[in-house]
Amino acid sequence: NAGVMQNPRHLVRRRGQEARLRCSPMKGHSHVYWYRQLPEEGLKFMVYLQKENIIDESGMPKERFSAEFPKEGPSILRIQQVVRGDSAAYFCASSPGAGKAYEQYFGPGTRLTVT
Amino acid sequence: AQTVTQSQPEMSVQEAETVTLSCTYDTSENNYYLFWYKQPPSRQMILVIRQEAYKQQNATENRFSVNFQKAAKSFSLKISDSQLGDTAMYFCALRPSGSRLTFGEGTQLTVNP
């Protein structure tokens, strides 16, 4: 059973460009979480999605950031008009159910560098 | 709101010795889960151990064990017989109601030969 997959692993964007980060959850998992890790910091929650629904986006910046998890295909985290402060590692995690009892399995992360 | 605090930014230990990493947290929930994750240089997040708050018995996974003090809201990780491969950043995390994880700032552990 393949683990959580994220691509690309490394992404370089110039200021003002768009960044698209993809996350394929583990087989059978319908719950996806996105976290951001700034340099020298812990992971911070961004958004929690189920298929076709955003459940909790309280950690998402109000502007330029959006996320989706369509019925078919991977979850996408989209950052428009990137700025240097967006440079970070973005981790996706998936779980088979909702609630605190279900373990979240993490992907390897996407390291975004904005030049 | 919930918070997780790791007051030791860096720690080091000699190979084969024991080390304890500290973590305190705050939540208004009565039932929650606590976790320790390891992040080696590859940056992959690896679950080390988990503890359910309603269980009084401390969790143990091979060389890793926790000291869970619910009243004090403390959740420390003990690593016995430290190995070079234990060198990593260690994050304490809290999962109260809902689904999000709240992480501490991490402790960089270095195991010296």
Side-chain angles (χ1 to χ4, degrees), chain A residues 2-23:
Chain A
V4 178
M5 299 176 67
Q6 291 188 249
N7 67 81
R9 294 292 306 277
H10 301 275
L11 181 62
V12 179
R13 285 287 179 265
R14 293 179 179 171
R15 280 180 297 172
Q17 291 184 320
E18 178 179 289
R20 281 184 177 241
L21 288 63
R22 294 174 183 78
C23 169

Side-chain angles (χ1 to χ4, degrees), chain A residues 37 58 99-100 102 104 111, chain B residues 31 43-44 95 99-100:
Chain A
Q37 185 179 30
S58 58
K100 52 200 169 194
Y102 289 95
Q104 294 182 15
R111 182 183 291 273
Chain B
N31 191 19
R43 302 190 70 84
Q44 175 74 52
R95 193 175 187 189
S99 293
R100 67 165 64 185

Side-chain angles (χ1 to χ4, degrees), chain B residues 68-105:
Chain B
F68 174 48
Q69 301 290 328
K70 190 172 183 179
K73 295 184 178 177
S74 170
F75 183 61
S76 61
L77 174 70
K78 185 171 83 171
I79 306 174
S80 304
D81 187 24
S82 297
Q83 301 176 1
L84 296 178
D86 295 333
T87 292
M89 183 73 83
Y90 286 81
F91 291 100
C92 179
L94 167 68
R95 193 175 187 189
S97 60
S99 293
R100 67 165 64 185
L101 285 163
T102 299
F103 287 87
E105 294 301 306

Side-chain angles (χ1 to χ4, degrees), chain B residues 3 10 23-24 28 33 36-37 41 43 48 57 70-71 80 82 87 90 92 104 107-108:
Chain B
T3 59
E10 297 179 356
C23 173
T24 57
S28 57
Y33 284 73
W36 278 97
Y37 283 89
R43 302 190 70 84
V48 174
Q57 186 174 6
K70 190 172 183 179
S80 304
S82 297
T87 292
Y90 286 81
C92 179
T107 296
Q108 175 63 49

Side-chain angles (χ1 to χ4, degrees), chain A:
Chain A
N1 187 6
V4 178
M5 299 176 67
Q6 291 188 249
N7 67 81
R9 294 292 306 277
H10 301 275
L11 181 62
V12 179
R13 285 287 179 265
R14 293 179 179 171
R15 280 180 297 172
Q17 291 184 320
E18 178 179 289
R20 281 184 177 241
L21 288 63
R22 294 174 183 78
C23 169
S24 296
M26 288 181 69
K27 186 177 181 180
H29 289 193
S30 59
H31 300 256
V32 166
Y33 313 81
W34 286 93
Y35 294 85
R36 176 166 67 174
Q37 185 179 30
L38 295 170
E40 309 301 325
E41 294 188 11
L43 280 72
K44 299 289 194 296
F45 169 80
M46 299 182 74
V47 63
Y48 162 39
L49 311 102
Q50 294 179 27
K51 287 281 189 180
E52 301 184 279
N53 285 303
I54 297 175
I55 306 302
D56 180 359
E57 58 181 346
S58 58
M60 287 275 273
K62 299 300 181 189
E63 299 178 350
R64 302 187 298 107
F65 285 72
S66 62
E68 63 177 6
F69 189 17
K71 186 177 181 181
E72 300 292 337
S75 175
I76 306 287
L77 179 67
R78 181 183 178 203
I79 311 172
Q80 295 178 291
Q81 299 175 322
V82 296
V83 300
R84 288 222 171 108
D86 297 332
S87 294
Y90 292 82
F91 289 91
C92 167
S94 74
S95 70
K100 52 200 169 194
Y102 289 95
E103 181 179 333
Q104 294 182 15
Y105 296 82
F106 282 83
T110 294
R111 182 183 291 273
L112 172 65
T113 302
V114 179
T115 61

